[in-house]
Amino acid sequence: MADDRPIRRTLRIAEVAKLAGVSTATVSRALTDPGKLRPKTLALVEEAVRRTGYTPNLAARSLRARRSMVVLVVVPDIGNPFFADVLRGVEEALSAAGYGLLIGNLGPGAHKPAQVLDIVQAGQVDGVLLLNGNVPRDAERSLDRMDVPLVAICEAIPGVTFPQVEVQNREAARQAAELLIGLGHRRVAYLSGPAGNILEAERFGGFCEGLAAAGIAGPVARYRGDFTFAAGGAAAEEFLRAAERPTAVFAANDEMAIGFLKTVRAAGIAVPEALSIVGFDGIAFADYVEPMLTTFRQPRRALGNEGARLLVEAMGGHPSTARVRMPVELLVRASTGPLLG
C-alpha cells in the first residue's frame, strides 16, 4: 500500500537567508562564528532560523571544514545527580552553535584517561570540556599538549592557562561556618570530599576561615568522605560512636549530607534539635529529604552554559584565559536550627 503521508522537505540555507534578508554566507557565519556579526544582523538570522526550524547539515559542514562538530565532555561520575543540570546547560549552548555532544565518563567501569586521549588524538572531537578537575594524561600523552581547545567547568585546575568556570566555593564554605556559629554551635564538624580534590580543599579552607574569624580555635573535627551517599552514612556511624558529639556538621556535598542525615535519624538523633546539618550543591534530592536540607545551590545550568560558550569561542578561533567564578545561593531549611540546652 502506498504511503500517502507528506514527505517533509529539507530546508535549504538559502531559504533562511531570504527570510532574514541577508546572504547565505551571513547565515553560515551566524551559525559557526556569531561573534563576528553585528547584534542586529545576528538577531535577524536567529529569528529566521527559529521560524523555519532550519537545522544545519552537520555532516556536510564537517567535511568542508575538516571538523567533527562534536565536543567531548569529561565527567568524573555520570551517576552523580549534580552533573545532570550542568550537562543540560552544556547541551543547550553547544546545540545552539551546531555542535553535538560526546560524554566521557570516568566513573567506575567506564572511560579511562587513556580512552579520552585516544578520542582526541583520533580527531573525533573539536574541543573538550573538563568537569573532572584535572587534565587527562597517561605515561606518554597529556591532553593539554594536544592541539584541541579546552575549558574546565565546576572544578578549577591549578596551573593551566585555558578558561575555567567555577563557583565561589571558599566564600560559601565560610558562610556555612558563619551560619552555624550564628545559631550558637561551637562543637562543629566537617565531612570531607576525596583527599587532593580541589573542591574539598577550597570548602574545607573556607570553613576553617569562617570558624577562625568567629574565634573558634583549634583543629576541626573531620570525617573522611568521597562525595557519595555511602560515605555520608559511614561518617554518621563514626559520629554515633563518639563520646562527645558535635552539635553541627557541614558536609562538602549534598549526597554525603543526605547519607549522614538519614543514618543519624534512623539512630534516633533529632535534626535539627540535637544536630544541625548543612550540605553543598543544591541537588534535587536535598528538597525531598526530611527534614529538608540546608544547602548551597550552585548555578549548575549556568555553569554548563558559560563553559560551553567559552569553548565555542575558542573553537571559532577566539581563545581566552577567562576565570569565571559564579556565586552560590544559601538555602536555609529545616536541617539547621539553634543550639538547644
Side-chain angles (χ1 to χ4, degrees):
M1 180 182 293
D3 189 345
D4 294 329
R5 290 176 299 177
I7 299 174
R8 185 177 179 181
R9 183 173 60 87
T10 302
L11 286 165
R12 299 172 62 85
I13 193 171
E15 295 172 81
V16 179
K18 182 177 180 180
L19 182 61
V22 299
S23 67
T24 56
T26 298
V27 175
S28 179
R29 192 173 299 115
L31 296 171
T32 59
D33 197 2
K36 290 186 176 180
L37 294 181
R38 291 180 300 174
K40 184 177 179 180
T41 303
L42 181 60
L44 288 171
V45 176
E46 288 177 340
E47 175 62 15
V49 169
R50 186 191 66 78
R51 289 175 59 187
T52 60
Y54 173 74
T55 301
N57 186 331
L58 298 184
R61 186 198 299 176
S62 299
L63 287 172
R64 289 193 300 268
R66 296 182 181 275
R67 296 164 66 184
S68 69
M69 299 305 296
V70 175
V71 165
L72 175 64
V73 183
V74 180
V75 184
D77 182 4
I78 197 65
N80 188 324
F82 170 81
F83 294 108
D85 279 340
V86 178
L87 290 172
R88 185 174 292 114
V90 167
E91 192 279 332
E92 287 173 350
L94 291 180
S95 178
Y99 285 89
L101 178 65
L102 174 65
I103 295 177
N105 177 30
L106 296 180
H111 283 80
K112 302 304 177 189
Q115 292 175 288
V116 169
L117 296 168
D118 290 342
I119 290 170
V120 175
Q121 194 169 46
Q124 296 180 38
V125 296
D126 296 331
V128 181
L129 290 169
L130 297 171
L131 279 63
N132 60 316
N134 60 70
V135 177
R137 51 176 54 92
D138 60 16
E140 300 177 350
R141 302 170 297 175
S142 182
L143 186 59
D144 57 350
R145 296 197 186 103
M146 295 182 174
D147 187 22
V148 61
L150 306 174
V151 173
I153 310 179
C154 303
E155 293 189 41
I157 304 177
V160 302
T161 58
F162 52 79
Q164 304 191 59
V165 184
E166 58 181 323
V167 298
Q168 296 173 355
N169 290 288
R170 184 173 289 264
E171 294 86 341
R174 190 182 303 126
Q175 193 176 0
E178 294 168 355
L179 170 67
L180 295 174
I181 296 300
L183 290 170
H185 297 280
R186 295 297 180 270
R187 267 195 338 270
V188 298
Y190 175 78
L191 175 48
S192 78
N197 180 275
I198 187 65
L199 298 179
E200 152 61 25
E202 286 290 291
R203 291 172 191 175
F204 182 62
F207 190 61
C208 291
E209 288 172 5
L211 295 178
I216 307 298
V220 177
R222 189 170 181 176
Y223 302 112
R224 294 289 178 181
D226 60 5
F227 291 152
T228 64
F229 291 113
E237 296 290 352
E238 184 180 345
F239 163 87
L240 292 169
R241 292 191 297 268
E244 186 178 36
R245 296 169 179 166
T247 64
V249 174
F250 171 48
N253 83 334
D254 284 346
E255 285 197 36
M256 294 192 300
I258 291 168
F260 195 100
L261 173 61
K262 181 178 183 295
T263 303
V264 296
R265 290 196 74 220
I269 303 296
V271 178
E273 292 81 4
L275 176 68
S276 285
I277 302 175
V278 179
F280 199 111
D281 284 341
I283 64 175
F285 291 143
D287 298 347
Y288 295 97
V289 294
E290 180 61 38
M292 192 179 294
L293 184 67
T294 293
T295 186
F296 291 86
R297 178 184 289 158
Q298 294 200 50
R300 299 186 296 275
R301 198 164 176 175
L303 283 168
N305 259 281
E306 180 64 11
R309 184 190 68 80
L310 289 169
L311 185 64
V312 168
E313 288 186 354
M315 292 185 298
H318 305 285
S320 74
T321 57
R323 180 79 179 270
V324 180
R325 301 182 70 249
M326 296 182 174
V328 298
E329 178 186 6
L330 172 59
L331 304 175
V332 179
R333 273 95 162 256
S335 71
T336 50
L339 179 65
L340 303 178

